[in-house]
């Protein structure tokens, strides 16, 4: 009896990787895509923000208004402490902008795989937020020192919206610039077909 063979994972670009790609111009785009594929195929990569995201989700779930964020900045390994200390103020400001802690609840999101030409892109919001008035948001976090460019915002929100039925039905996509505590939503007048052509190109 032969042992079953496992199906290899399809190499894909992460949503973060792809949005960094759309900010690039010229021939660097081709080499950047190649690097994304190689990284995924080799399964390399480390996420330094994992504990931060858990703390933010805990503050939403337990209605603690930033207590977990304050604690994780002290508990994280020393090498990541400056990063977390830079992220906490903006994340706390965004958390407070949602209203009273008891008026929001976490909502589970799912990953989806988008195809842009022959490039698979993983659509993975960090979490969902359900408001007392019934509104639901699928939240993707932006951690970089520089604010997200207009292209990054459009690409992220469009791809999330395109696959929202799989990610979190009836939710609105939101990109939160963590360092500045600013939430970005799809601008009024944005045309999905034009964005789709731009991304496909």
């Amino acid at each position: 009896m032969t042992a079953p063979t496992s199906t290899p994972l399809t190499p894909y670009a992460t949503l973060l990787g792809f949005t960094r790609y759309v900010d690039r111009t010229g021939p660097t785009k081709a080499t950047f895509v190649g690097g994304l594929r190689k990284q995924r195929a080799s399964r390399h990569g480390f996420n330094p923000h994992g504990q931060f995201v858990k703390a933010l989700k805990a503050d939403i779930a337990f209605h603690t208004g930033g207590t977990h964020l304050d604690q994780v900045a002290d508990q994280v390994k020393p090498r990541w402490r400056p990063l977390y200390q830079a992220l906490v103020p903006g994340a706390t400001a965004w958390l407070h902008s949602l209203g009273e802690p008891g008026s929001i609840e976490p909502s589970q999101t799912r990953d989806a795989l988008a195809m842009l030409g022959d490039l698979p892109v993983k659509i993975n919001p960090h979490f969902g937020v359900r408001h007392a008035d019934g509104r639901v948001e699928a939240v993707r976090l932006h951690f970089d020192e520089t604010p997200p460019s207009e292209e990054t915002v459009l690409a992220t929100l469009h791809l999330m919206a395109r696959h929202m039925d799989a990610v979190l039905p009836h939710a609105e996509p939101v990109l939160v610039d963590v360092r500045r505590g600013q939430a970005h939503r799809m601008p009024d007048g944005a045309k999905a077909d034009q964005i789709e052509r731009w991304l496909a190109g």
Side-chain angles (χ1 to χ4, degrees):
M1 182 176 178
T2 58
T5 57
S6 59
T7 303
L9 293 174
T10 302
Y12 59 73
T14 63
L15 186 54
L16 173 62
F18 181 76
T19 54
R20 286 178 173 165
Y21 157 78
V22 299
D23 272 344
R24 291 176 176 243
T25 58
T28 59
K29 281 196 170 186
T31 56
F32 192 68
V33 171
L36 291 174
R37 291 184 183 278
K38 289 178 182 177
Q39 183 183 67
R40 174 56 188 162
S42 62
R43 303 185 192 182
H44 288 167
F46 170 72
N47 176 16
H49 305 113
Q51 288 177 262
F52 184 89
V53 175
K54 287 181 180 178
L56 181 53
K57 290 169 69 174
D59 275 322
I60 294 172
F62 299 112
H63 310 137
T64 42
T67 302
H68 289 84
L69 285 172
D70 287 337
Q71 292 173 347
V72 77
D74 294 328
Q75 295 168 352
V76 74
K77 290 182 179 180
R79 66 175 296 192
W80 301 116
R81 208 161 285 161
L83 170 64
Y84 277 46
Q85 290 169 344
L87 296 173
V88 166
T92 303
W94 170 74
L95 193 61
H96 291 169
S97 75
L98 300 178
E100 292 297 321
S103 68
I104 56 173
E105 298 288 344
S107 191
Q108 181 68 42
T109 58
R110 298 178 181 275
D111 295 347
L113 203 62
M115 293 300 298
L116 288 168
D118 63 349
L119 177 68
V121 180
K122 187 178 183 181
I123 311 302
N124 54 340
H126 287 94
F127 51 82
V129 175
R130 189 173 302 275
H131 296 260
D133 62 6
R135 292 181 298 117
V136 185
E137 296 174 328
V139 178
R140 176 79 191 172
L141 303 175
H142 175 89
F143 295 103
D144 292 356
E145 292 186 21
T146 56
S149 67
E150 181 181 350
E151 290 79 9
T152 293
V153 172
L154 284 176
T156 301
L157 297 179
H158 174 77
L159 289 174
M160 287 171 61
R162 192 221 262 185
H163 294 274
M164 197 57 75
D165 285 348
V167 169
L168 183 59
H170 311 299
E172 176 188 6
V174 178
L175 178 64
V176 175
D177 181 357
V178 177
R179 290 176 186 258
R180 283 149 287 269
Q182 183 178 3
H184 295 272
R185 294 174 174 81
M186 189 65 78
D188 294 336
K191 297 182 178 179
D193 56 340
Q194 292 181 358
I195 299 174
E196 189 71 25
R197 287 196 297 272
W198 162 59
L199 292 178

